[in-house]
């Protein structure tokens, strides 16, 4: 492994150099669709009444250093992780036991579980599930450690985003590094950058191929006469991150020749139906713009329905139930979504107790399982018996921890000294909603400069988070039809900020240079 | 030739269909860089202080019908037109005689001519000229005519724009026509659209290949030790149409591996120099963002300096002179720019008098020359001897004419009944600045719907203007090194508007379906 770049990285920029880089990036992002719709807090709807304006996605000026052994290990583990989570989602009994503990304290998990129970009661008609997963890691390098290691931050089983834009950031940094051709000088010369390129980032290819595999596995149309087949993206209204999603549909359409439609959450019940007379329950889509053509949905790709705010009324829960009970392959199913909750990660990481990993990965040898286990950060529940309560309530140990809710989507973490007070503000019966995780200590020297979507430029110390994309298509009988790793996401945020989420403007899309 | 589509084209849209198409187009344009920066009259600088916002270029929802024989003929004539204008720009004496008539009435032409004279006095060091030309046509179909014919509106010899965005519009309409794959229904079914696609539009490839040919023909670096070679785009400040230009530089960089830099008009003298001790006068470029590297400019591509407003002070004239006297291949030279003035077109089209075409195209056979001549619209000067004065001053005949200034850039035409009053408002010694041209009578039935850059949607009767791109690299001794036709631009404007200019928002980028 090469030397970690020291505090001389990134190279300092003169004002002119920074202006040139920023201006190049502002133009490159728009020319290549590395874009988002502007936030309404910046550009009110009254200004952009027809919703045509766009701006650059938040991006870093420089790619970030990342240790090659950690990158390689994260990639090597992805198909194992895919398999692990497919196995968890297929083991309703095991998953159910954990969910039972949560349903009386977490309304959201409880509601999701009820959707699954209702469909199970009626009987599932689709044995296949599709996962477009992203496993997120940080580099753990506490003072005095032998070298950097990889620690998983979370495993995303629903709406794993930024595959589309992330591969564009890698292309942009690659172009800046090699520009102008033959005599690169867009960045100032620096030993860590000269001659280097980010690794290939086939996120769009991988994620699209996963959706295409599900589409193919669905088989022929179920109604008679047969209908044309399509993939349906279920999306949020006024999605600002739409160009990330369109990167996948563009490839599905142009390369795989698969029709793709988009429907917003609130219109699922209006635009799709399941014919009552057909026991195989095909999901029929009726485009509003071409009411004479019916389509049959092979695969439902959720870029909504992942957070409590996506369910505004019972009608939205009905819509989710409707999709779940249909013959369409759900990406993800309710069980797959639930398998991504923080509690599952904590149970898997639990050093004491049953060896869940070996059980779920019975086909894998123990060395692989040990390597997977090495990527877990220490985490604990807050039950009366474990170590979690003690670590969380003592301010000295709390200082090295983060308290995470079970829910997907981020934005609600409690950090360090805030943990004891926060916990004491509620009844300890509610503590089950939370998982305590040891904070990952990422390298302290890293710096970068960020161009936000409103054009503001920020420089400072940063923390990076690497996501690896993977897709898996499996049958609930345990058969795996497709299992691939491919593509990555680097997100970089200011060190002073403890919470992520690129679309919210707090963190930025980045790429990596391996060392 | 197939039937011209009747008034049933384009097919009517329901409100839902139109909303779906508009929403698809709004997203497609941003995803693919078919974009412009928003007008400051809509988004003031105070709102977008960092200049990051972008919006769709103005585009038509539907491609427009265009007669295939006229399209084929326009393409067939392009390399002949390239050759004609190269020959005109190489014949300084002939050009000079015409310019002499204009310099006492047109300050702009007079100033350009002075630049040429000054450089000629010192002696040109670069015998090569590059033309990136665009010949613009309308369909002429007066009531009672046998069929549509092609009439040239103007021939652009400087800053011929929209090659980059135009090829994207063709891609967008192609994708809409074939979407979803296997079962197209994004447009309502219509006999004129079903199974049809716009013709290939290799504008970016053609224009970039022209610039690359000049770059290669420049030969080795002239200073010792040699410098790395580059192409320099000279551009206007705050260019809203920048993504059109970047389509060319992206291809030059990625395919031809040629370094491209951009410099705004006002910085030409600051950022480039000609070493006083080197008689071959290489043009040296010093990037502000990397002051340690000098570059030698092989080719200057002007996307500025075409209109009087690009010359704000003597310093701008000095800058143009500086480029003209350098060893860089100018695209265009002063003589090439002047050969594009309206007066030249009028002289060429003059039915009486010397046969200029046969003289300039002595290598071409008379049938080709006759076909070229057929593309001329009748036009006249306003000299006391010709028919022009009579046609212009009589309101009845003026009603079929347009009065055009000599200058490039558009925006100053006088139409129909306004012509007599306009002319009488000035001394007849100034009439030399103008050319009277018979209005082309385009098919009346054409309709389309336009999405403007601010999101407003307009529908109505439209007029289309087809541009054909061509590039030619020639030596002033008459040798032609590169002569290619390739790529096209369809611009569509509302019939009620008499003046064009897509960037100004009055007209839109379109594509064509041949019939």
């Amino acid at each position: 492994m090469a030397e970690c770049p020291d505090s001389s990285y990134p190279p300092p920029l003169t004002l002119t150099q920074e202006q040139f880089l920023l201006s190049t990036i502002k133009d490159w992002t728009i020319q290549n669709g590395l874009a988002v719709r502007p936030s309404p807090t910046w550009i009110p709807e009254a200004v952009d009444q027809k919703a045509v304006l766009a701006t650059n996605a938040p991006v870093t000026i420089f790619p970030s250093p990342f240790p090659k052994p950690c990158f390689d290990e994260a990639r090597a583990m992805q198909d194992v992780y895919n398999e692990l989570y497919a196995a968890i989602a297929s083991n309703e009994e095991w998953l159910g036991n954990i969910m039972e503990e949560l349903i009386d304290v977490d309304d959201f998990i409880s509601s999701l579980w009820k959707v699954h129970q209702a469909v199970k009661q009626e009987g599932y008609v689709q044995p296949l599930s599709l996962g477009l997963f992203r496993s997120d890691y940080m580099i753990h390098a506490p003072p005095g450690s032998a070298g950097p290691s990889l620690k998983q931050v979370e495993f995303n089983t629903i709406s794993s985003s930024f595959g589309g834009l992330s591969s564009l950031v890698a292309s942009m940094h690659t172009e800046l590094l090699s520009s102008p051709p033959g005599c690169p000088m867009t960045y100032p010369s620096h030993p860590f950058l000269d001659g280097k390129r980010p690794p290939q980032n086939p996120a769009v290819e991988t994620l699209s191929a996963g959706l295409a595999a599900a589409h193919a596995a669905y088989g022929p149309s179920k109604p008679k006469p047969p209908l044309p087949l399509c993939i349906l993206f279920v999306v949020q209204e006024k999605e600002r991150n739409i160009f990330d999603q369109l990167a996948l549909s563009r490839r599905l359409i142009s390369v795989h020749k698969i029709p793709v439609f988009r429907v917003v959450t609130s219109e699922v019940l209006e635009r799709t139906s399941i014919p009552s007379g057909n026991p195989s329950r095909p999901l029929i889509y009726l485009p509003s713009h071409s009411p004479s053509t019916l389509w049959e949905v092979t695969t439902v790709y959720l870029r909504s329905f992942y957070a409590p705010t996506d369910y505004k009324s019972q009608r939205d829960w009905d819509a989710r139930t409707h999709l779940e009970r249909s013959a369409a392959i759900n990406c993800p199913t309710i069980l797959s979504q639930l398998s991504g909750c923080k509690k599952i990660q904590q149970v898997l990481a639990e050093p004491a107790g049953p060896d869940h990993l070996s059980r779920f990965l019975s086909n894998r040898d123990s060395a692989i399982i040990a390597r997977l286990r090495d990527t877990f950060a220490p985490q604990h529940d807050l039950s009366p018996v474990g170590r979690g309560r003690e670590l969380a309530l003592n301010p000295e140990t709390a200082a090295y921890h983060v308290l995470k809710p079970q829910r997907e989507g981020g934005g609600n973490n409690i950090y360090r000294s805030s943990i004891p007070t926060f916990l004491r503000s509620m009844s300890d019966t509610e503590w089950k909603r939370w998982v305590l995780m040891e904070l990952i200590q990422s390298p302290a020297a890293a710096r970068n400069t960020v161009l936000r979507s409103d054009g503001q430029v920020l420089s400072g110390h940063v923390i990076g988070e690497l996501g690896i994309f993977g897709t898996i298509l499996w049958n609930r009988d345990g058969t795996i039809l497709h299992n691939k790793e491919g593509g990555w996401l680097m997100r970089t945020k200011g060190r002073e900020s403890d919470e992520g989420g690129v679309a919210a403007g707090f963190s930025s899309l980045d790429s990596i240079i391996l060392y």
Side-chain angles (χ1 to χ4, degrees), chain A:
Chain A
M1 193 170 84
E3 198 69 9
C4 173
D6 60 15
S7 58
S8 79
Y9 184 83
L13 298 171
T14 64
L15 189 61
T16 319
Q17 284 172 328
E18 183 175 292
Q19 281 170 345
F20 177 76
L21 264 167
L22 288 170
S23 147
T24 305
I25 290 171
K26 286 173 187 176
D27 292 334
W28 196 100
T29 50
I30 296 301
Q31 191 185 15
N32 294 278
L34 177 45
V36 294
R37 295 292 181 191
S39 155
T41 59
W42 173 36
I43 303 293
E45 270 183 52
V47 171
D48 185 19
Q49 290 177 19
K50 304 292 180 177
V52 288
L53 288 175
T55 182
N56 58 278
V59 291
T60 61
I61 288 193
F62 294 97
S64 284
F66 198 88
K68 183 169 188 302
C70 295
F71 180 69
D72 292 342
E73 185 66 3
R75 290 192 56 193
M77 288 300 103
Q78 189 59 38
D79 70 326
V80 192
Y81 264 121
N82 288 346
E83 208 177 305
L84 172 63
Y85 278 87
I88 292 171
S90 299
N91 193 329
E92 194 221 8
E93 191 191 346
W94 185 88
L95 200 55
N97 283 335
I98 296 173
M99 292 305 120
E100 294 296 338
E101 285 183 48
L102 298 174
I103 53 179
D104 56 335
V105 288
D106 192 316
D107 287 348
F108 184 57
I109 285 177
S110 166
S111 300
L112 287 171
W113 186 247
K114 279 181 197 151
V115 171
H116 165 68
Q117 293 290 48
V119 176
K120 187 186 163 197
Q121 179 106 16
E122 184 185 13
Y124 276 86
V125 290
Q126 179 53 265
L128 300 179
S129 298
L130 175 67
L132 298 195
F133 296 151
R134 199 188 68 222
S135 184
D136 291 341
Y137 305 93
M138 286 172 73
I139 293 301
H140 188 49
S145 64
S149 65
L150 196 66
K151 292 297 171 196
Q152 191 180 52
V153 178
E154 64 178 352
F155 192 87
N156 302 280
T157 59
I158 183 166
S159 301
S160 310
S161 57
F162 294 116
L165 297 190
S166 175
S167 54
L168 284 170
V169 181
S171 300
M172 182 180 77
H173 284 158
T174 299
E175 211 169 298
L176 293 174
L177 282 164
S178 51
S179 166
C183 185
M185 45 159 238
T186 299
Y187 292 118
S189 180
H190 187 280
F192 184 70
L193 286 178
D194 298 348
K196 304 286 179 48
R197 302 284 180 274
Q200 292 287 313
N201 191 349
V204 174
E205 292 83 341
T206 305
L207 298 172
S208 308
L211 288 160
H215 182 78
Y218 180 84
S221 170
K222 300 176 193 304
K224 290 196 172 119
L227 297 176
L229 304 175
C230 71
I231 293 178
L232 192 66
F233 283 27
V234 177
V235 299
Q236 295 175 328
E237 309 200 40
K238 300 184 181 172
E239 172 65 76
R240 292 182 48 222
N241 193 28
I242 182 171
F243 303 105
D244 182 54
Q245 302 171 357
L246 291 177
L248 304 190
S249 39
R250 175 166 63 184
R251 190 169 169 91
L252 283 166
I253 292 164
S254 65
V255 175
H256 299 282
K257 307 292 177 200
I258 299 173
V260 176
F261 295 100
R262 296 169 63 83
V263 64
V264 295
T265 323
S266 62
E267 290 187 346
V268 165
L269 288 176
E270 197 180 326
R271 304 260 48 101
T272 68
S273 62
I274 299 173
S276 53
N278 191 329
S280 53
R281 291 185 228 150
L283 184 67
I284 309 301
Y285 171 65
L286 178 68
S288 58
H289 60 281
S290 184
S292 61
T293 319
L294 296 175
W295 295 77
E296 182 173 357
V297 179
T298 65
T299 310
V300 169
Y301 176 45
L302 297 187
R303 291 293 290 254
S304 178
F305 281 147
Y306 58 84
T309 47
D310 291 323
Y311 300 83
K312 293 179 177 56
S313 71
Q314 183 56 40
R315 188 171 161 81
D316 293 320
W317 286 107
D318 293 347
R320 181 71 192 271
T321 308
H322 170 73
L323 298 176
E324 184 80 3
R325 70 183 284 273
S326 79
I329 300 171
N330 274 275
C331 176
T333 60
I334 295 278
L335 289 185
S336 184
Q337 178 175 357
L338 286 171
S339 67
C341 76
K342 307 294 176 298
K343 177 69 183 171
I344 302 289
Q345 289 170 58
Q346 178 259 311
V347 169
L348 295 174
E350 191 70 63
D355 182 356
H356 303 298
L357 286 191
S358 299
R359 178 175 167 195
F360 285 122
L361 297 169
S362 54
N363 294 328
R364 298 283 189 165
D365 72 46
S366 59
I368 288 284
I369 293 173
R371 282 164 62 188
L372 194 80
R373 201 186 306 277
D374 272 349
T375 66
F376 293 158
Q379 42 195 297
H380 312 269
D381 65 18
L382 300 179
S383 67
V385 291
R387 285 194 61 213
R389 286 196 179 197
E390 181 193 331
L391 293 167
L393 294 173
N394 181 340
E396 278 182 33
T397 48
Y400 296 95
H401 287 84
V402 54
L403 196 63
K404 293 181 159 197
Q406 303 296 344
R407 288 202 307 270
E408 293 288 321
N412 298 291
N413 292 351
I414 310 296
Y415 288 88
R416 299 190 181 92
S417 59
S418 311
I419 298 173
T421 323
F422 178 80
L423 285 175
R424 290 204 176 96
S425 72
M426 66 179 80
S427 152
D428 66 357
T429 56
E430 293 191 45
W431 291 4
K432 285 194 219 173
R433 291 196 208 189
W434 300 87
V435 167
L436 187 76
M437 185 169 149
E438 198 176 307
L439 274 170
I440 298 166
Q441 298 189 49
S442 58
R447 297 179 61 91
N448 213 325
T449 297
V450 157
L451 173 66
R452 295 197 328 196
S453 288
D454 61 1
Q456 298 297 321
V457 177
L458 303 172
S459 290
H461 286 97
V462 292
I463 306 181
E465 195 172 315
L466 178 82
I468 300 287
F469 292 101
T471 67
I472 184 165
L473 177 67
W474 75 95
N475 191 303
R476 65 173 167 224
D477 69 10
T479 321
I480 291 172
L481 288 79
H482 177 101
N483 181 7
K484 301 282 179 196
E485 168 272 337
W488 47 270
L489 161 69
M490 183 69 176
R491 273 187 301 186
T492 289
K493 56 183 174 175
R495 235 188 202 276
E496 56 289 350
S497 156
D498 271 326
E499 192 55 54
V502 173
F506 299 108
S507 75
S508 296
L509 299 169
D510 195 350
S511 79
I512 54 176
I513 298 288
L514 299 175
Y515 67 91

